[in-house]
Amino acid sequence: MSGNKAGGTLKKLRLLLAATVALSVVLSGCSSGEADKASTATGNKGGSLKVEIFDRGNTPQGYTITDSYLTRYAKENFGKPNDIDLTYVPVQRSEEVTKLNVLMASGGDVPDIVFTYDSGTFERYAEQGGLTDLTPLLNEYGPNLKKFLGEDTLSYGQVGGKQFAIPGKRTILGKYSSFIRQDWLDTLNMPVPKTTNELYNTLKAFKEKDPGKTGGKVVPLGMTMESGQYDPLLWSFIKPVTDEQKYTLTQELGSRDYPILLPGFKDGVQFMNKLYNENLISKDFGLDKDKKQLTQDIQSGNTGFFSEDYDNIYYNDSAYPNLLANQSTAKLTPMDPYTNSEGKHAKPEFASNGLYIMVPKSSEHAIEAIKYLDWMSSEKVLLDMQNGVEGENYTLKDGIPVAKEKPTQEAQDRIYNQGDVVIIANGKIAGDDNKNKEAFVLGMPSQFQEDVRKAMDISNTDTISPVKFDHPIKAESKYSNSLLDKFDEMVVKSVMVPPAQFDATFEAALKDYMVSGGQAILDERTEAYKAMTGK
């Protein structure tokens, strides 16, 4: 037998064995599982809990992804008092959905708590019966958790009126700001542009006059095929729509809404085509999906204007600090130039949920899972796990944790992955919305805090909320991955052709998109809207 055949046979035997074990759990594990849950429900301590954790390959020396300051904190403060053996199961962040699918198919090997950012993945598991209905457990064992999350956030984890996921709470809903080289504007004696047309004229001036003295390398508008760059531009071209149009013509792919069928989308892509043919945007934007070229162009001082997640450029060792290291007199100003037909600076915002935190149906430790999340939602635990040790990682100012300017390496390493361990919160928790925002700002490098505050305000201006049905759209789960590729292809091809070829190229790409699943989504959303409204 060849090596390949032997390996294939062995793999099949392993899968068969796993399936047999999983089936035996389903057939014979009910009584033991119910007994385990009943035992916990009567108040007896003990048990185990396996929790997924993202591995981003950035664990500092002295720790491992499963043995760090935060995992030790959780074991000491939750596991030990409750006599629960708490362990963590690492999953590569870049392989989140793929690895989760493998884990969910493995039956008994799946952690008791798993999660994903992808709404389609969550909805598919829920509809296929792969998740535990957490509704009664949340009511009985999660009072703090319910209060912390609130009804709106919890609703994102419901399918058919049942709570199949505990959504993480996103504290700041704003996404995007735009940024411009203020020193270039000053050199040209030009104001910060306030409209799309003023921005266009500014980009032309950057191209023609090269105020940054780039030697012909100037990139007036930095662009990639990552949403932070094209979303603010494209959504600003969307025209006013009715509720029916908003619900039926929007398409949710992955975890974001796309305006592909909304009136004005084609105009936005055509504006990008105009910019491209006038050499005003990044030439290789279609290849720059990881933003490496954009980041390099910003840091090298070649980019005059770009849009981005409002906070991304301000972190240590990110684009803005590195630009200043190369050009100490450079200055980036947060601004909001894209205007729609109503004069608003329309841009998408996040939904109020972050991660979808799930308990697989095969788990016998759903009660422990809810208790763990409920414990994590307490004020003291959130403060400790998100911020580290008072006096070493942070100080308190009016009840808000303020990161220390120069913490020791030991202090920094403590909370290097707090966002991946404190899974119930996406963003700093300090109290109400204003305190949460201020806590985030005060956690940034002090030299950038005022700009971060301004960029955050921009990200929350004239925002467009995600469209939410009362049940999953199955066609979106089915076609999402392939349609994301079709969307990228539609934009890149349409933008890069000569203006005379734009209409034909765009229409052909749109037709391909629709026959590849776009029409199925449109049809299902139309029916869902009729059912929801009774029209």
Side-chain angles (χ1 to χ4, degrees):
M1 184 181 292
S2 70
N4 288 341
K5 289 183 178 179
T9 302
L10 182 59
K11 183 176 181 181
K12 289 178 180 178
L13 287 172
R14 286 173 176 166
L15 289 173
L16 180 60
L17 179 60
T20 303
V21 172
L23 182 60
S24 68
V25 170
V26 171
L27 294 178
S28 64
C30 291
S31 59
S32 63
E34 290 303 319
D36 178 67
K37 291 177 181 178
S39 175
T40 309
T42 60
N44 294 337
K45 295 182 179 181
S48 64
L49 185 66
K50 293 190 295 184
V51 181
E52 178 185 350
I53 186 172
F54 280 152
D55 184 355
R56 300 176 188 268
N58 63 339
T59 303
Q61 190 173 3
Y63 290 138
T64 68
I65 189 63
T66 57
D67 181 29
S68 66
Y69 175 84
L70 291 177
T71 62
R72 294 171 191 171
Y73 178 96
K75 290 179 181 181
E76 183 67 23
N77 292 278
F78 172 76
K80 188 175 179 179
N82 292 286
D83 195 20
I84 291 174
D85 181 18
L86 182 61
T87 58
Y88 292 87
V89 180
V91 170
Q92 293 290 330
R93 174 66 178 94
S94 59
E95 301 174 2
E96 168 205 334
V97 174
T98 303
K99 179 64 174 177
L100 181 57
N101 288 334
V102 173
L103 287 171
M104 291 292 283
S106 69
D109 291 334
V110 64
D112 302 296
I113 291 179
V114 296
F115 43 74
T116 181
Y117 281 107
D118 188 83
S119 59
T121 297
F122 153 62
E123 291 166 355
R124 184 170 67 252
Y125 289 152
E127 297 233 319
Q128 292 175 352
L131 301 178
T132 300
D133 176 10
L134 302 173
T135 311
L137 302 182
L138 183 62
N139 289 331
E140 186 169 356
Y141 301 104
N144 295 323
L145 186 60
K146 287 182 66 174
K147 182 179 179 181
F148 170 73
L149 295 176
E151 292 184 6
D152 180 66
T153 298
L154 281 169
S155 70
Y156 282 90
Q158 296 169 1
V159 174
K162 296 181 179 181
Q163 196 77 45
F164 284 109
I166 303 299
K169 182 176 183 177
R170 192 180 293 276
T171 59
I172 299 172
L173 303 187
K175 283 187 178 185
Y176 307 126
S177 179
S178 295
F179 306 88
I180 197 164
R181 284 290 296 269
Q182 182 67 52
D183 50 316
W184 289 15
L185 292 175
D186 294 343
T187 297
L188 299 176
N189 197 27
M190 297 183 72
V192 174
K194 296 181 179 179
T195 67
T196 304
N197 189 55
E198 288 180 8
L199 174 65
Y200 171 71
N201 292 330
T202 300
L203 297 177
K204 287 178 65 177
F206 285 173
K207 177 66 178 177
E208 294 165 2
K209 299 178 181 179
D210 193 12
K213 296 181 171 56
T214 66
K217 297 180 181 179
V218 61
V219 182
L221 191 162
M223 181 60 64
T224 75
M225 278 311 295
E226 203 278 336
S227 59
Q229 283 68 68
Y230 62 71
D231 254 2
L233 186 157
L234 292 177
W235 280 93
S236 73
F237 278 85
I238 301 306
K239 298 171 182 175
V241 294
T242 63
D243 274 354
E244 181 175 359
Q245 288 176 308
K246 179 177 69 174
Y247 275 91
T248 60
L249 300 184
T250 304
Q251 303 229 320
E252 183 184 5
L253 308 178
S255 57
R256 294 193 298 112
D257 284 348
Y258 286 75
I260 300 163
L261 304 182
L262 291 172
F265 173 71
K266 181 180 178 181
D267 298 330
V269 180
Q270 191 161 23
F271 181 66
M272 290 180 65
N273 173 273
K274 174 183 175 69
L275 297 175
Y276 183 84
N277 280 281
E278 294 182 16
N279 296 314
L280 298 179
I281 65 174
S282 309
K283 273 297 179 186
D284 295 323
F285 76 96
L287 302 175
D288 195 17
K289 292 187 178 182
D290 57 8
K291 299 193 291 188
K292 285 185 178 178
Q293 187 59 54
L294 172 69
T295 301
Q296 183 58 46
D297 286 337
I298 295 170
Q299 294 176 167
S300 300
N302 296 330
T303 302
F305 166 86
F306 60 96
S307 299
E308 177 60 290
D309 290 5
Y310 76 88
D311 57 327
N312 274 0
I313 67 169
Y314 295 113
Y315 293 96
N316 290 323
D317 199 30
S318 63
Y320 197 4
N322 290 334
L323 167 62
L324 292 174
N326 293 324
Q327 298 182 7
S328 60
T329 59
K331 180 174 174 56
L332 286 169
T333 292
M335 38 92 78
D336 201 12
Y338 293 120
T339 45
N340 65 12
S341 59
E342 298 177 300
K344 294 182 178 180
H345 303 284
K347 62 187 80 67
E349 69 175 11
F350 284 112
S352 65
N353 69 301
L355 285 168
Y356 295 90
I357 306 166
M358 305 165 286
V359 177
K361 192 69 172 285
S362 60
S363 172
E364 296 183 349
H365 305 287
I367 290 176
E368 288 89 342
I370 294 299
K371 285 185 173 181
Y372 174 72
L373 299 175
D374 190 73
W375 164 81
M376 187 178 288
S377 67
S378 75
E379 184 176 329
K380 181 182 185 328
V381 172
L382 286 168
L383 178 66
D384 289 349
M385 296 189 79
Q386 287 196 320
N387 300 283
V389 177
E390 185 176 3
E392 297 181 26
N393 289 90
Y394 72 95
T395 58
L396 284 175
K397 178 182 178 182
D398 298 326
I400 297 174
V402 181
K404 293 201 71 171
E405 276 296 309
K406 295 181 179 179
T408 64
Q409 190 63 48
E410 179 185 2
Q412 293 181 61
D413 292 346
R414 279 189 192 118
I415 54 172
Y416 81 98
N417 67 337
Q418 62 87 10
D420 293 331
V421 181
V422 189
I423 51 179
I424 63 167
N426 189 311
K428 288 290 184 75
I429 303 296
D432 57 29
D433 286 346
N434 289 331
K435 285 185 177 180
N436 292 340
K437 290 176 182 178
E438 191 63 14
F440 182 85
V441 171
L442 295 177
M444 300 297 282
S446 59
Q447 70 183 113
F448 300 128
Q449 286 178 5
E450 285 307 309
D451 280 348
V452 171
R453 189 175 283 109
K454 183 176 179 181
M456 181 189 291
D457 288 342
I458 288 171
S459 75
N460 285 292
T461 299
D462 296 339
T463 53
I464 303 166
S465 301
V467 178
K468 185 177 182 295
F469 280 100
D470 56 2
H471 69 276
I473 303 299
K474 294 180 180 179
E476 289 176 339
S477 300
K478 181 177 181 180
Y479 297 109
S480 179
N481 288 338
S482 60
L483 287 180
L484 283 169
D485 292 335
K486 293 291 183 183
F487 170 82
D488 287 354
E489 185 179 325
M490 181 193 312
V491 173
V492 173
K493 283 187 174 181
S494 300
V495 169
M496 295 182 68
V497 296
Q501 298 176 23
F502 173 80
D503 282 333
T505 303
F506 179 87
E507 295 301 332
L510 180 59
K511 181 178 180 181
D512 182 37
Y513 176 92
M514 295 303 287
V515 300
S516 300
Q519 186 64 49
I521 294 175
L522 173 60
D523 292 343
E524 187 175 347
R525 289 179 75 105
T526 300
E527 290 304 312
Y529 180 78
K530 291 178 181 177
M532 187 173 69
T533 60
K535 294 183 178 180

